[in-house]
Amino acid sequence: MLAVLGFVTILLVLALIMSKKVSTLVALIFVPAITGFIAAFINAPNVIIQAAQAAAEKAGTAYVEPVITFGTRFTKALSILSADYMGKGLSSIVATGVMFIFAILFFSTCSDAGVFDPIINRILKFTGEDPVKVCIGTFLIGCICHLDGSGATTFLIAIPACMPLFQKLKMNLWVEATIVALAAGIMNVMPWGGPTVRAAAAMSGLGYEVTGSELWVGIMPA
C-alpha cells in the first residue's frame, strides 16, 4: 500500500504541475501531505494496538484490546503524520537541504556577478570554427553553468552562448541541446545536485546515514 501511495503521489504532483492548475510549491507540499495522512490513517490502528500492548506489558496488567473509533484513528493519524513521517523525514534531510540551498544561492550569485563570464569567453575563443572543439567547448560551458545544480540556469546560459557558433558552422542545434543536457546530467551528481540530494535523503529515511558528499565520492569513478 505504501508503494502504491508513493506512485500516486508522484503521478498527482506531475499531473498538477503539468496542467498548471496549481503552483509547483503547492503541489509539492499538499499532495505528499494528503497521501501521507492516508498512509498514517491506514496504519493508525496497528500503532494504537502496539501502544496498548506496550503499556499493558509495562504496567504488568492484562492486555485489553482498545476500542478504536474514527476520532481516535483520525487523531492518531495526525500524530503519526506530524511526528513520525514529517518530523523524522525533515530531520533526516536537513543537513543535505541546507547544503543544496547554499549551493544554489552561492553559484547563482557568482553567475549573476559575472564570475564565470571570462571563463566562458576564453572557451568560446578556444573553440574557433572547429566543430569538434565547439562541441567540447559547449560541454565545458554546460558543466560550468550547472555548478549551482539548476537545469534552467544551465540551458538559459549555455544554449544562447554557443548557438551562434552552431548556426555559423551549420551544425545541428539538436547536437548542442544534447551536449548541454549531457553536461547537466553529469554535473547533477555533484554533492548538492538534485539526484544526489534525493538519493541521500531516501537512504537516510531508510536508516542509512549517508551524505551527498559520501555518495558523490562513490559515484566519481563511474
Side-chain angles (χ1 to χ4, degrees):
M1 179 57 70
L2 192 61
V4 172
L5 286 171
F7 281 114
V8 169
T9 301
I10 295 171
L11 291 174
L12 283 175
V13 168
L14 288 175
L16 289 172
I17 293 174
M18 293 177 69
S19 65
K20 298 182 179 179
K21 291 184 178 180
V22 297
S23 68
T24 303
L25 190 61
V26 172
L28 289 173
I29 291 175
F30 285 99
V31 174
I34 293 170
T35 52
F37 176 79
I38 294 172
F41 190 81
I42 294 172
N43 193 38
N46 295 330
V47 175
I48 294 172
I49 291 171
Q50 290 173 3
Q53 289 174 342
E57 184 178 348
K58 185 177 181 180
T61 58
Y63 166 71
V64 178
E65 188 170 345
V67 177
I68 302 175
T69 64
F70 178 83
T72 305
R73 190 172 179 178
F74 185 87
T75 305
K76 191 63 179 178
L78 288 176
S79 174
I80 294 170
L81 176 65
S82 59
D84 293 342
Y85 294 172
M86 296 174 66
K88 291 180 181 179
L90 288 172
S91 64
S92 66
I93 65 169
V94 62
T96 307
V98 169
M99 180 183 67
F100 182 60
I101 293 169
F102 169 78
I104 291 177
L105 292 174
F106 177 76
F107 288 109
S108 296
T109 303
C110 289
S111 178
D112 292 340
V115 173
F116 302 124
D117 289 349
I119 301 174
I120 293 174
N121 290 334
R122 288 196 176 189
I123 292 174
L124 292 175
K125 287 181 180 179
F126 163 77
T127 58
E129 295 186 0
D130 185 342
V132 175
K133 289 182 179 179
V134 169
C135 291
I136 295 172
T138 302
F139 179 82
L140 293 174
I141 292 172
C143 290
I144 293 170
C145 294
H146 203 72
L147 281 171
D148 65 346
S150 171
T153 304
T154 303
F155 284 96
L156 287 172
I157 296 176
I159 295 294
C162 302
M163 187 178 290
L165 285 173
F166 275 79
Q167 291 175 330
K168 182 178 180 181
L169 299 176
K170 297 182 180 180
M171 296 172 63
N172 195 331
L173 293 179
W174 285 105
V175 174
E176 180 190 15
T178 302
I179 291 172
V180 175
L182 288 171
I186 291 173
M187 294 300 290
N188 246 347
V189 300
M190 297 293 283
W192 52 83
T196 308
V197 169
R198 287 189 287 272
M203 293 181 72
S204 297
L206 293 172
Y208 301 95
E209 293 301 326
V210 179
T211 64
S213 300
E214 291 170 339
L215 278 180
W216 181 60
V217 171
I219 295 170
M220 278 179 69

